[in-house]
Amino acid sequence: MAVFDSPQEAFGILRPVCVQLTKTQTIENVEHLQTKLHTIGDSALQDLQEYVLFPLRFTLKTPGSKRESLVQCVVECITFVLSTTCIKKQDLLQELFSELCLCLSSPNSQQPAPVSEELKLAVVQGLHTLMHSAYGDIILSLYQPCTLPHLGFAISLLLTLAEQEKSKQIKTSALKCLQVLLLQCDCQDHPKLLDDTEREQLGDLFASFLPGISTALTRIITGDFKQGHVIIISALKVFYKIIGFVMADEQLEKIPKDKKKPSVECRVAELMVHREANWVKNTGSKLATLIEKIVEFVSVHPHWKARMELIELVQDLLLKCRQSLLNSVGHLLKALVGLVNDENADVQSRCNKVLKTFADQRIVVESRALADILSENLHSLATALPRLMSSQDDQGKYSTLLLLLGYLKLLGPKVNFVLNSVAHLHRLSKALIQVLELDVADVKIVEERRWGPDRLAESSSSLSEPPLYKSKSQRKYFRFFTDERIFLLLRQICQTLGFYGDLYLLVDHFTELYNESVIYRKQAAMILNELIVGAAGIEVEVLHEDKSMAGSEELRQVITSILEEYISQKNWYLVTSKEAEGTMKHSHLQAITSDVHTCHLAPLPSSSELSLTVCSMNSNIWQICIQLEGIGCFAHALGREFRLLLMSALYPVLEKAGDKTLLISQVATSTMIDICHACAYDSPRDLINNNADYLVNEISLNLHQMARSPHTPIVLEIMFQNSDASLLPLIEDVIQDVLFSLDQFHDERAASFLSVLHTVLAALARWFPEAKDDKQLQKQNFRKEKYDLHQGSSTLGNGFAFTTPAEEIEQFLLNYLKNKDVADGNVSDSDNEEEQPPPSEAEMNDVCPDVEALLPVQTQIAKDVMERCIHLLSDKDLKTRLKVLDVLELCVTVLQSHENQLLPMIHRVWLPLVHRLTNDDPLAVLRAFKVLCTLGNQCGDFLRNRFSKDILPKLSGSLVTQAPVSAKAGPVYSHTLAFKLQLAVLQGLGSLCKELDLGGGDLNKVADACLIYLSAKQPVKLQEAARSVFLHLMKVDPDTTWFILNELYCPLPYEPPHPSLYPVSLSGMAKPRTEYTDNVLLLLAELQG
Amino acid sequence: MALPPPPPQFVLRGTQSAVNSLHFSCRSQAQSPPLLFSGSLSGLVHVWNLHTRRVDATLDGHGGQSVYWVKTLGDQRLLLSQGRDLKLCLWDLAEGRRAPVDSLSLDSVGFCQGSVLRGGAQECWLLAVPGRGTEEVQVLDMPSKTSVCTLKPEAGAKAGMPMCLELWQPASSSHPLLLAGYEDGSVILWNVSERRMLSRLSCHKEPVMSLDFDSRKAKGVSGSSEKALCVWGLDEQQNLKVCRTQELTNPGIADVVIRPDGKILATAGWDHRIRLFGWKQLKPLAVLDYHSAAVHCVAFSDPGQPREQLLAGGSKDQRISVWSVYNQS
């Protein structure tokens, strides 16, 4: 379609249509006009604007009732014209304004005329367009005092539409239009160059409408949730724009006290408002109610955009009119504060940003009034807090605490005003302590024990885990709430307090509470932990950048004092289990006597009330855990600086890592991981290794006072498990201390010391394995020779050596005799010297008989320990004896490469050991037999005679007497001790024979005793074990074994190769199948193969 | 009943050999931690940081020969160490240096520790060390190393080797005096500038192992291998007189030290114990029983804040025990 740009052409086209419309006003004609208008260029239309508008306005103005559709059509046409042109005459603007408004007025009521929704929409949009098409300052002509009634009408019309219409579209359009009408439009093409005086005038003008607008908008905003968030958002926008305009502090400051002479007639003048102080105060207080309502309603609005708009509202109002709206500031802040931790991330970040702007602009910090209001709010919240915490449900607590957190954040450093008031600090802490009360009824916590080896070694790889302070590994259960979020919130609150508050004041206060009563202690400790985390600035969102961080020196001092409190005797060594009760009683008594002056403050469970309930033990466990977590927090707060505090902190933590209660040991382990993170250690192992000197110091000091510190062995044990040989010089004197203490307290504490010694020796055996290898290699060679020897003899014995020349046999026999002599120890010195190469220089030095060479530390230790074992082997307590046997075994292993030391020791240990083997509890016999096996392995030659003299008869005797019992026994027998003993003896006997290289008579004894166990009537396991004995015997003496077996059952007839020889007759020949047959056959097959 | 003596505050391990000499240096620039120097049998000087309780530095300057005297000069930077390699080393430890800056050859093979006296504000000081001859004591001007004098008892004195030395300056005169304990159990007071013996006191039957002198009270104490401590005084005529003797349970005192504030006396015993006495009346105060071998030396920290005053004992068992005792008032 052609576009006509010149006014002449346009005129030519439009003229007939306009004339037509003026003549007959029908929809068709209007539409005709509109189609023609589309073909006209903008500039041409601008020239012809009034000409075109005339017939349209004429149509509207024609008296008499018109069809709604016609009116609508006309309005739409006008809207079109206005949208492409602008109005340059004030009259035209005013006239059009009132004409459009009139379309919706009903002549005899306040309500808008009951017309169709389409028409309403068209009119609203028409007005909207009209406002936008006014050229330059023309628009201001609408806002003269004389036009006040018109304006008022339009405003009330729009408000009514927004409030009462059903259609969302009309509602939003009406609100938009209202926004434009109030000159608060946020679109770009508005020349909003209002100067101050103009603003002031407009402000005065709008002030008249403020009550109406605000109440109507409040009604809309607090209407049904279902009306949709878009409307609420628009309404909120209009609300804060108009209030922000009328009540702007900037304007109000300049308002003169006296009213200006009204320049208009008095009827209108009455409507005019003069915004002097009194008016501001009244309006402010009235608005406060509305704002409170809105805040309350919108802050819980389900749609996040609505909440977001609320933030904008708060920001706008707080920025522009915090003086005039003094009464509402509290509510506004409350809204903001409540939204700081909104579930929607956008809202949250926006809110934080707004709060930050406030903080940045120092609005809160510098304007006393605002800080006062916040403090006041916080005061009243703190006052109500204990009550709220006990009465509200989880959700209520959550929002209350959220609010508390917000205030703290917003107040920043000024929070100290509140904290400095004793009453309020008291209230606040009471509430926190009350709500943080733990549920300590769970029995499981007390019952779960730590078994097996320490987890620490395994956990060394778990450094990748997030540190404890981030993900509380151990969930706590609280009496007054279940929602985990509440706990998080409480932690944040404490952290924020710690960050902004006066650290000394807070720590003092809560330490006092900590010491005041057992009931408060856990909560106070939790709070203290979080305070420190906060004070260190970890994880605190910083709103007030200028807040100076707590000096690290200050922090260190505070932490040191709390740490001291935590690990003091009375707070660290609590009764956590029944078995500990006995040992604790003593130390408790000591604690009580030594802290008499503090006793009345801290009602320790005195010894008379030591009969502990599960609850109190559970509570104690938690207390220790919280304190352990605290140590982790402290480490994080101080970072590498915490390394210095490890001096005192590491030992207690390790002590707890070895605690029997599962929970405590778990928490302690994660505390160690925390410390590793904070102090830049790779693993707990690394941590222990690097601080072994501190640990050793504590351990050694504690060993000197064993009565007061019964846990020392645990720590020592853990340290040994986690360190290596480089530690040996450090611990050397500690081991001497242990031995010294053992000598002093062997009746009371032997068990715990023995476990330490066990660890020590296990560690030594682990750290110095190389000696073992040498020895074994040597031994293996020796065996091999021997074995070859026997192989030789066996071939002879089997009768397949006929072809062997006589010299060979002779040589063999000579060798055999010589070896036998050597084995029996009948070696002449001269022989020896001949054979051995002259010892080298070094060896000479080594074996120098006069000067005892300085032994390696580990050997010396093992020797010293073994010395003690000799004495303790005959202890009256079975458990001790068992432990001693274990330790003894390790001693032997460590000493194996030092025969000069080992053999005399074995000589001394022999007698008590024989007693263990011969007349003791079966358990001890079992253990002693194991030791014997190890001994045999290390120094068989030395023991041979002793064994065959002292032990073998007894051992074989017991095997023989037990055999009928086990043969007849049922399946349950395999669970008895007797069975285990038989099994162990049978399993060990074979190799022992081999190691000791027993002679023929002894071997026969062994074989006799074991033969019975080849019976099929014996339990399968015993048969197997017995077979293993014979397998070993075969290696030592195959011929005899063959003979013995064949005596029992002989599967083959042996025909003499020549009739001149006697026939071989074995007693096992031609026997029917017996109970022994199967096993004998198996063994013979093995022998032949 | 009196409270049992406390355990050591902490124990320093890691010298790996017997500890012969200890010296505190706590009063210094604020930024550097308090230090404890220890000289050991293996010839090393360990510098212990008392904050971390760990070795800050190990000084090796005596070729593996036992170090039996360590002492700082004024501040933490300058350290003297005397070893069995017949050398006296001067260390400047500033800026982490670990090598001796100067050394002095000694002629005596004995165990006698040296003694220093600061000469006013100047950078020079007097050093007394056992001299070339058996009975001689040599006094040197440092750092120029020029000999001031050689002090030797008259021919028939038969004092034996000097065992311990103590240089001091009486407040009344400008002449430095020297107290020396000798092998025959006598203590001799020398006037250094006049090179003459002022007084001789035979107070022990056995060699004097150690002595210390409190110039404010003009009273000194000496210990020997016997079972007794001897306290002697100096009268106006500069004569030494025995004030009292204190019997001990076990014989053998390796070291006696008077606390800088003049309130307490500590002894290092061959019986593995450190004993504390009130200095005024020699009232036995405490027996500190920790070590498992003879205690070779004791040292008090410089009088800093009263609560932080420390006592250290070094022992043949290779440990250094650090105690915080009688600090409250």
Side-chain angles (χ1 to χ4, degrees), chain A residues 138-207:
Chain A
I138 298 291
I139 188 117
L140 290 179
S141 64
L142 272 183
Y143 301 93
Q144 298 305 318
C146 51
T147 55
L148 205 58
H150 297 277
L151 205 54
F153 176 74
I155 287 171
S156 74
L157 182 72
L158 288 170
L159 282 173
T160 324
L161 285 177
E163 197 180 342
Q164 291 176 351
E165 280 308 312
K166 296 269 186 306
S167 151
K168 266 188 193 177
Q169 210 185 355
I170 298 179
K171 284 177 156 209
T172 26
S173 311
L175 286 168
K176 280 232 173 80
C177 188
L178 185 61
Q179 199 180 337
V180 181
L181 192 60
L182 296 171
L183 292 178
Q184 305 296 331
C185 183
D186 32 30
C187 62
Q188 304 292 313
D189 37 291
H190 265 282
K192 270 202 272 183
L193 300 161
L194 298 174
D195 61 27
D196 284 351
T197 39
E198 281 167 347
R199 281 172 170 277
E200 203 184 309
Q201 280 166 10
L202 281 173
D204 277 340
L205 199 73
F206 290 147

Side-chain angles (χ1 to χ4, degrees), chain A residues 643-644 647 681 690-694 696-698 700-701 704-705 729-734 737, chain B residues 5-14 16 50-54 289-292 317-319:
Chain A
R643 283 185 175 201
L644 263 187
M647 226 178 274
Y681 290 110
N690 274 305
N691 294 288
D693 50 348
Y694 295 157
V696 167
N697 187 38
E698 289 274 332
S700 129
L701 292 182
H704 277 259
Q705 313 193 326
L730 269 182
I731 55 172
E732 195 186 336
D733 70 284
V734 177
D737 284 342
Chain B
Q9 198 179 36
F10 52 91
V11 176
L12 302 173
R13 292 178 169 73
Q16 308 264 347
L50 293 179
H51 274 168
T52 61
R53 301 176 187 175
R54 286 182 175 152
D289 186 7
Y290 174 80
H291 289 286
S292 55
D317 67 4
Q318 312 187 354
R319 296 185 275 197

Side-chain angles (χ1 to χ4, degrees), chain A residues 108 319 328 400 466 515-516 518 547 569 575 589 604 622 624 650 735 756 874 929 977 1014:
Chain A
N108 40 16
L319 279 177
S328 313
T400 308
N515 282 324
E516 192 175 310
V518 170
K547 146 84 169 120
Q569 190 88 15
V575 184
L589 276 176
L604 275 171
W622 273 118
I624 291 168
L650 187 58
I735 294 167
V756 173
S874 354
F929 189 74
L977 203 55
L1014 289 178

Side-chain angles (χ1 to χ4, degrees), chain A residues 17-168:
Chain A
V17 199
C18 287
V19 171
Q20 177 70 24
L21 181 58
T22 323
K23 278 183 191 156
T24 44
Q25 293 127 11
T26 58
I27 296 176
E28 290 76 32
N29 287 340
V30 179
E31 278 171 349
H32 194 205
L33 174 62
Q34 196 155 3
T35 41
K36 289 288 180 215
L37 286 175
H38 280 293
T39 64
I40 310 294
D42 287 355
S43 57
L45 191 56
Q46 180 67 50
D47 288 350
L48 297 172
Q49 184 197 43
E50 277 187 70
Y51 182 79
V52 176
L53 283 178
F54 175 76
L56 293 168
R57 289 170 63 196
F58 180 74
T59 314
L60 285 182
K61 277 197 264 188
T62 325
S65 65
K66 298 171 283 275
R67 281 170 57 209
E68 276 181 22
S69 53
L70 174 65
V71 179
Q72 183 195 341
C73 206
V74 171
V75 171
E76 277 167 3
C77 195
I78 292 174
T79 309
F80 176 77
V81 175
L82 293 177
S83 69
T84 51
T85 60
C86 60
I87 297 173
K88 293 178 176 170
K89 286 186 186 161
Q90 294 189 0
D91 301 351
L92 183 62
L93 180 67
Q94 284 179 19
E95 279 165 30
L96 272 173
F97 183 72
S98 40
E99 278 159 16
L100 281 173
C101 288
L102 276 174
C103 293
L104 290 184
S105 70
S106 58
N108 40 16
S109 82
Q110 292 289 310
Q111 297 296 316
V115 290
S116 73
E117 291 191 337
E118 286 80 10
L119 180 56
K120 286 174 185 165
L121 190 60
V123 171
V124 171
Q125 278 167 352
L127 273 175
H128 190 266
T129 321
L130 176 68
M131 299 305 292
H132 277 99
S133 69
Y135 179 78
D137 287 346
I138 298 291
I139 188 117
L140 290 179
S141 64
L142 272 183
Y143 301 93
Q144 298 305 318
C146 51
T147 55
L148 205 58
H150 297 277
L151 205 54
F153 176 74
I155 287 171
S156 74
L157 182 72
L158 288 170
L159 282 173
T160 324
L161 285 177
E163 197 180 342
Q164 291 176 351
E165 280 308 312
K166 296 269 186 306
S167 151
K168 266 188 193 177

Side-chain angles (χ1 to χ4, degrees), chain A residues 159-160 163 210-222 235 290:
Chain A
L159 282 173
T160 324
E163 197 180 342
L210 191 61
I213 296 176
S214 53
T215 37
L217 285 176
T218 309
R219 276 201 302 275
I220 295 172
I221 292 166
T222 56
L290 299 181

Side-chain angles (χ1 to χ4, degrees), chain A residues 848-860:
Chain A
C848 197
D850 295 337
V851 186
E852 205 172 308
L854 206 57
L855 290 172
V857 177
Q858 71 271 24
T859 318
Q860 186 59 48

Side-chain angles (χ1 to χ4, degrees), chain A residues 153 166 259 402 477 479 484 580 781 845 848 894:
Chain A
F153 176 74
K166 296 269 186 306
K259 207 168 173 177
L402 213 55
Y477 295 92
R479 263 187 73 188
E484 188 77 342
N781 289 338
N845 284 346
C848 197
V894 176

